[in-house]
Amino acid sequence: MSWRPTYRSSKFRNVYGKVGNREHCFDGIPITKNVHDNHFCAVNSKFLAVVTESSGGGSFIVIPVPQSGRLDSHYPKVCGHQGNVLDIKWNPFFENIIASCSEDTSVRVWEIPEGGLRRNMTEAVLELYGHSRRVGVIEWHPTSSGILFSAGYDYKILIWNLEIGEPVKMIDCHTDVILSMSFNTDGSLLATSCKDKKLRVIEPRSGAVLQQASCKNHRVNRVVFLGNMKRLLTTGVSRWNTRQIALWDQEDLSMPIVEEDIDGLSGLLFPFYDADTHMLYLAGKGDGNIRYFEITTEKPYLQYLMEFRSPTPQKGLGVMPKHGLDVGACEVFRFYKLVTLKGLIEPISMIVPRRSDTYQEDIYPMTAGTEPALSPSEWLSGINRDPVLMSLKEGYQRPNQLVFKAPVKEKKSVVVNGIDLLENVPPRTENELLRMFFRQQDELRRLKEELTTKDVRIRQLELELNNLKNVSPNNV
């Protein structure tokens, strides 16, 4: 596809990738060696979060974006999970709130203090249990402030209402592991790719499957909605084991509109779509290059633009939201590339070359901001609204006045010597099982000693009673 001659002019045909200087990179980070197919990285305008290699459970670090350079080996971590962390995502409306999911079957929501962590964080704001197996993918709803989706290896998707801290819906239409999830612009539709080789478009509140495609020639790995174009784009593998992308009509998944072979490499292709510029970025896991295309509503639909090349392979990529970009430098996209071999994270800016220093209206239209359009209860009641838009012309200066409040759960409990008898939660890891075993052994030992002491006391009272009986007739 890259060698095809192009004759269509585009204002993005000269976009180039610029790697950040060494002082703008993050060095000395023990990036996880987990082989799970995720990015292991999440970015917003304040913080960079990266899943790290750790023993005795899962952890990730949170670094303020301006605090680049080499990281201290004892830098504090978020380390509350009992299993490996598989995915992390920042809340799009509360920039200090991050969600994580893990092999310990839990989803947790954390609140990062202003300025970053000063000590290890082990207590989450919310601990969400509902999956019976490990949780591999999480996604925040794009327009509602407190709705979180999680997909587990139990083939189920749970919808969490964080205002009450409970799951409000279970989508159970998949027959294998869910590989990815993507929302349309207003969050009224959910697209999923699954290991059962099927692409689905789902109405999330009812769980109804609106469209389904059995991909025999194109095995789908990742799916992404293309904004308001009523199109889906998938990356996968063709029947000849070449990497491939396909464009679909979201209202008719019987056949793809376009299929394009990319190359013969084996790494998973991650798609990133920018709805403001209609640009699609393709980054392969283990590759060093990033291809980018322009999506159009007319043929040929996919217009190849350019390719960013790098000799260092990437394990994953984080993407900066629009309001965190450098508008003055005509930056339209920014990646944070994970280089595992070097323990390095380097920013890659995609820049449109312009001679003028003034604000470029054509490449920075109104974009989705950090103000939610709906509350969780409104969205669950059936209301749909487009995102609240903001302008990048004056820079991002409007602070978000919303405050994330975790629900206070009232639960009945019967606590005996520090053990809640009503909350019988089974252990999830071997270490947790051992801790529970030794705690029960200590409790049994204490109860036996207490029982022995009471037996002795009972015998003493019986003797005193007998003495009183023997003495009382003589007194009479």
Side-chain angles (χ1 to χ4, degrees), residues 362-382:
D362 58 330
I363 62 175
Y364 295 114
M366 296 285 284
T367 187
T370 59
E371 185 179 343
L374 292 165
S375 67
S377 56
E378 286 176 327
W379 182 78
L380 290 170
S381 68

Side-chain angles (χ1 to χ4, degrees), residues 131 133-137 150-157 177-178:
H131 290 280
R133 298 181 65 186
R134 59 180 174 168
V135 187
V137 184
S150 63
Y153 276 61
D154 52 5
Y155 313 156
K156 295 175 177 60
I157 296 175
V177 177
I178 298 145

Side-chain angles (χ1 to χ4, degrees), residues 5 19 74 122 154 184 186 194 261 270 294 346 357 423:
V19 181
H74 300 292
T122 56
D154 52 5
N184 64 344
D186 63 2
C194 183
D261 291 339
F270 292 114
E294 189 173 10
E346 56 182 18
D357 293 334
E423 190 177 357

